[in-house]
Each structure stands twice: as C-alpha cells, then as structure tokens.
Amino acid sequence: MNPKPTFEEALQRLEAIAEQIERGQIGLEESIARYEEGVQLIRHCRDVLARAELRVQQLQIDDQGKVESRPFPVAAPPTAGDAPPR
Amino acid sequence: MKRRTPSRPAETPSTASSDVNVLTVSEVTRRVRRALESAFPGRVLVTGEISNFKIHASGHSYFTLKDSGSEIACVMWRSAVASLRFRPADGQEVIVAGSIEVFEKSGRYQLYAQQIDPRGVGALEMALRQLREKLEKEGLFSPARKRPLPRFPKRIGIITSPTGAAIRDMLLTLERRYPCVDVLVLPVRVQGDGAASEIADAVRKINAATSALGGIDLLIVGRGGGSTEDLCAFNEEVLVRAIAASTVPVISAVGHETDFTLADLAADVRAATPTAAAELAVPVRLETLDGLSLTQRRLTIGVQRRVDLDRRTFSHLARRAPFREPEHLIRRREQRLDTWLADVLRALNARFHDRRRRLQRTEQLLSRIAPDASVAAGTRRLHERLARLHLAMTGRLLRIARNLDQRAARLQRGAPAGRIPRLSELLNDARRRVALALHQGLDARRRRLEAAEQLLNALSYRSVLQRGYSITRLKKGGTLVRDAARLSDGDRLVTEFAEGEVESRVVNARQRELFET
C-alpha cells in the first residue's frame, strides 16, 4: 500500500477495510491485520484534519511562470476597490 | 362565379376569359402568402406588447403582439417555448424574432415566434447571446465536460480581487468549515478594461504552475455582486475559454444567485455566491472527524464480532470429549502407561525366568558330566548377577513409573483446556523416551548376559576335554554326534580334543560298538 495515501485514497481504503471486516469473510488473523491497517489510516486522516488554522498565501506569478508567495491575512477587512453590492 | 369585375368589363368579354380573373379562395391565400414571403424574407424582428399569452396543454404558445395601432397573432412552438430564458407575460414590451407566414386553412397571417426578448437589452445582450451560441456549439458548456470536485482538497487556488468582500467571505467560510486546507490567492482585477484578460491569464498561469505549487486540487474564480456591467468580464470569450481549458476543476462564483455568466456555464460547478463556492469546495472538518470515528467503531465492532465468532467456534470444539475433560484424557494416558509398564515388567520377568531356567539346565548338565567346583561357583555368580540385574531393572522401571505419575499429576494441576494437545504430546514424548531408554538398557544387559553364558559354556566343556574326553560333530552343520546309528558311510566328522581337532570319514557305520562308550 502507498505509504502516503491522499486523504481521499485513505478514506476509500478505510471504507473497503470496514466492509471486508464487517462481511466477516476474512479470517481472524487477516481481520486483525486489516484492523491495524485501518487504525493506521484513521490516525493518518486525523493528522491531516488536525490543523485548525487556515493557511493562506498570496501568489504572484510572472510571465515566465516564476512564483512568489507571501502570507495573506485571513480576516482582511474589506477595503475600497471592490464593487459595492447591488 | 359569373360575376364580372365591374372595373374592367371591356377587357373580359367572354365568360371563359373573364373566369381567368376570378380567383379561388385558395388562390388568393396562396398569392397573399407569396406576397408576404417576399415582403418578409426569413427572420424578422417585431417589437410590441404581449397580450393574451397562453401556453396550451400541447406545449405550444399563442399570444398577440400589439402596439397602439395594430396587432398580430403570434405562435411559438413548444421547442422554442422551452428555450425561453424568461417568462413572457401580458403587458411586457418585447422583441419577437420569427417569420411572418400565412396559415392557409384560415387565411390568416401569423408571426411564428422563435425567440422573445425583453425590450431594451440592446446590442450587448445580442452579442452575448451570439457568443453563447457559438461556444455552446463548440461544446464548451457540455455537461460531459464537467468534472467532479475533489471531496477532500488539500490546496485550493482562489482567483479574485484581494480586497473585496468575496475573498473575505470565502476565507472565513473555509476557516470555519475546513481549516486544514491550504489556500493560494491569486489577486486580479475583477472589473474594468482588461479585467477579463487578467483573470484568464491568472487561470492559465496557476494551471501551468500547479506542480511547482505542490498540486492544486481546485480553483475558485469569482467576485462579489455588482451591476451587469460590473460582471461583464465573466462573459468575455477569453475568460470563458480559459476556464473551460483549465485542467484543475473550477468553481465559478460570480455575483449573486440571480447572476448568470458564461464563466458559470464553462465552470465545472457554478456557485451562487462566493460563500457558496467555499462551501462547495470543502467538507466540514468536524463531520469528517465524526465519519472517521464512525469508521473506527465499525472496524472495532467488526473485529470484535470476528473474535466472538471464533471464540464460539472454539468453545464449541472445546466442549467435545477430548477437550472437555482434560483429566480424563490424562487418566486415559496414564492407564495406557500403566498397562504398558506392566507389559514391560512381565516381559522382563519372563526373560529372567527363561534365562534362569536355561542356566539351571546348563548347571545340571555340567554337574552331571563334570561336578566341578569352579563351574558351580561360576554359575552361582551368574545367578547372583541375574538376580541383581532383575532387581535393578525392576527398580528402574518403578522409578520411571513414579516419575511419570508425578509428571501426569503436574500436568493435571496446571492444564487449561487450550494446553491439552501440547501436554498430551509431552506425555507421548516422555513415553517414547522411557521406552527407548528401557529398550537400550535391556538390550545391553541381554547382550552382556548372553556373552557371559557363552563363555561359561565354552569353559565348562573345555574342562571336560582336559580330562581326555573329545567331542565329535558332523562337519556339515556342526551337529554333536550322540548316536552312531544316525551316521552313514562317507559322513565327514570333526573331532575336537583338548588341544586341536581332527577330521575323519565314517567307513563302516554298522560297527556301532566302535563308537559306544
């Protein structure tokens, strides 16, 4: 199995494991092995979800495709320049 | 039919020729139709006010278009009605696009409407409509092109004004729902000259830089609400094409719920507002965590059930005879061991008695033919050794039996059901080793006993020869000769003396006296 699955892959794998175990068509040892894999995946997913602060970067990409970035404040107050609501 | 046209009587003298100018109703209608068709070739645009607008059960629509001076009956077929972008109503000033045709059956001319637009939309609206049709034909808005959004994006690109309410709404919503996502903001002007090109450029650049940025799962392109003119950048071809060409899935978020732009049509998903776009872009973190907890519970319950099932199967097995009563099993083994030990003892005894009997016979024979004190002493020693051997073997067997008893008792004390198979194997192993030891011990002792016996036998008859006796055997087979009558002429004999032996041949077997002693 891919050592660093994406979140979505991890969830898919988890669903497959849960179904396998629930259907009871695999033996005890296999069930326990799958269970351990599932717990690992859940831990991985929880790690991904652990961050509670949004990270925002403002990008500047020039015509050569060179990227520059700097932090962008999340709670930026609205300033003039945007169209007023209708 | 016979009436003449009063205005031109002279030119139509005969009935037949006057008939040429008499038209049937159908002919009139046909001529009117031709005249109308040439007067209004193809599509015409007619402006007026709608009245009596009705949609029939068939789906076709009938209405009247009128102005202060006149009115014209209008028909709109079901297919055209379906493509209406607004709902026509009585009193609306509209421009109807269609063709003027004559309905021959009733002799009425009608406007067959293909399209109805509210008045005052102007050329801009017209141009937009034309662009929309063009891009639609190219398939840019085809539902087949729409890609599903990733359910759990890691990194989202937002192309919008960095200073508007739109970006603030989106960031707040993202932080509230799913703060574990990374956001990359690409600031652009969202209105004014060149805004469309700038946004299109940003879409292309961020697509090109995707891998440099570590992968982008989703783009949100949009702005907050504004007037139709404010939103018009999102209707420009350059931007619509850029959005359609994006390899990263795009959510469009332009203006308010009621605003529809071509960018919306080209995007994979159209969000009604920027806030809605952020909601569409990410799941809710807490719900996702709940889902994980649920999955964990499912796994635990599943495995628990599996374990219970196996435990049930096991206890079912364990209830069966050999496992139910381990003591019984051990006792049965013990019994077999006892029986076997008894067998060994019996065999051992039998062998000793047999040896003793044979020894006694030899002793008797020897004492009969040679009452020699040394032989008697030898046999006595032999007897003693046999007795000692018997005692030793018996003692050893008893020790083994005791040892086994202790072992069995230990096994019985500490024998949970699961260990029974291993314990019985242990017992078997012990038994095997005991058997082997016994067998080897017995063998060695038997060999030594036999050697002693042979030596004793040899010594005893040699001492007889020393006294002048000799022993005669048949050369063939080595049988002792005790009866001359059993010999035949020509038989070869070997006679053994105290020192050396001699071979001879029987020449007269009938002279038995010669051999009698």
Side-chain angles (χ1 to χ4, degrees), chain B residues 139-283:
Chain B
L140 253 61
F141 309 144
S142 157
R145 286 177 55 99
K146 309 290 182 204
R147 288 158 300 188
L149 302 179
R151 286 175 60 212
F152 302 95
K154 268 179 75 179
R155 201 167 289 114
I156 297 177
I158 299 181
I159 299 174
T160 191
S161 160
T163 56
I167 183 69
R168 192 197 50 192
D169 289 351
M170 285 191 274
L171 292 181
L172 289 178
T173 305
L174 290 174
E175 179 154 77
R176 177 171 49 80
R177 284 172 65 98
Y178 198 72
C180 33
V181 75
D182 288 343
V183 181
L184 303 173
V185 179
L186 206 56
V188 289
R189 285 183 302 132
V190 292
Q191 66 192 72
D193 277 351
S197 311
E198 200 176 316
I199 303 170
D201 203 38
V203 171
R204 281 192 295 266
K205 276 178 176 169
I206 205 165
N207 264 284
T210 294
S211 52
L213 293 166
I216 294 176
D217 304 304
L218 185 62
L219 284 181
I220 300 177
V221 181
R223 55 156 292 151
S227 68
T228 309
E229 289 74 36
D230 288 341
L231 306 185
C232 72
F234 292 85
N235 278 323
E236 283 190 34
E237 184 169 358
V238 59
L239 175 52
V240 176
R241 286 192 185 280
I243 288 176
S246 174
T247 52
V248 179
V250 177
I251 300 180
S252 69
V254 184
H256 294 298
E257 227 136 327
T258 47
D259 299 320
F260 255 100
T261 63
L262 297 188
D264 288 327
L265 295 173
D268 293 289
V269 171
R270 180 238 175 198
T273 61
T275 300
E279 283 167 353
L280 286 167
V282 293

Side-chain angles (χ1 to χ4, degrees), chain B residues 77 84 144 187 217 245 267 300 327 333 343 355 389 437 511 514:
Chain B
W77 300 128
L84 278 173
D217 304 304
T300 309
E327 318 82 43
R333 298 264 177 202
D343 285 351
R355 285 280 183 271
L389 194 54
Q511 289 175 294
L514 276 176

Side-chain angles (χ1 to χ4, degrees), chain B residues 397-505:
Chain B
L397 272 174
L398 287 175
R399 270 201 306 282
I400 288 164
R402 224 175 11 252
N403 190 3
L404 282 172
D405 273 349
Q406 284 166 358
R407 220 183 251 226
R410 268 209 307 279
L411 290 180
Q412 217 167 328
R413 272 201 303 279
R419 284 175 64 201
I420 290 308
R422 229 181 35 174
L423 294 179
S424 66
E425 198 174 287
L426 239 144
L427 261 176
N428 270 333
D429 185 50
R431 197 176 73 151
R432 262 199 306 280
R433 277 188 292 129
V434 166
L436 197 67
L438 263 179
H439 201 71
Q440 283 171 346
L442 271 178
D443 252 20
R445 277 167 174 74
R446 195 185 66 219
R447 272 197 303 276
R448 265 188 276 163
L449 189 60
E450 278 169 2
E453 211 174 351
Q454 259 168 26
L455 185 68
L456 188 66
N457 279 340
L459 280 174
S460 59
Y461 88 80
R462 284 248 162 78
S463 68
V464 176
L465 297 181
Q466 286 293 345
R467 283 181 278 140
Y469 290 92
S470 64
I471 290 174
T472 304
R473 291 189 179 90
L474 272 172
K475 191 186 183 201
K476 195 174 161 189
T479 320
L480 272 172
V481 179
R482 298 171 196 277
D483 188 353
R486 301 226 172 147
L487 297 173
S488 315
D489 286 357
D491 279 350
R492 289 188 172 273
L493 304 172
V494 175
T495 304
E496 193 185 339
F497 302 96
E499 299 294 331
E501 52 186 25
V502 68
E503 196 175 321
S504 56
R505 201 170 65 222

Side-chain angles (χ1 to χ4, degrees), chain B residues 115 277 345 354 380:
Chain B
Q115 201 173 308
L345 273 173
D354 181 49
R380 208 165 36 248

Side-chain angles (χ1 to χ4, degrees), chain B residues 82-143:
Chain B
S83 69
L84 278 173
R85 277 161 215 156
F86 74 107
R87 195 171 175 78
D90 290 355
Q92 276 177 351
E93 290 286 332
V94 294
I95 296 174
V96 176
S99 54
I100 306 287
E101 287 173 39
V102 172
F103 181 46
E104 288 192 19
K105 193 160 184 200
S106 60
R108 294 196 304 160
Y109 74 93
Q110 291 174 310
L111 173 57
Y112 288 82
Q114 284 145 16
Q115 201 173 308
I116 306 175
D117 289 307
R119 254 196 94 180
V121 287
L124 247 166
E125 181 68 28
M126 211 57 197
L128 179 62
R129 191 158 296 137
Q130 281 165 352
L131 176 61
R132 180 189 168 136
E133 276 169 14
K134 181 175 106 181
L135 297 180
E136 209 156 34
K137 260 189 211 127
E138 287 182 32
L140 253 61
F141 309 144
S142 157

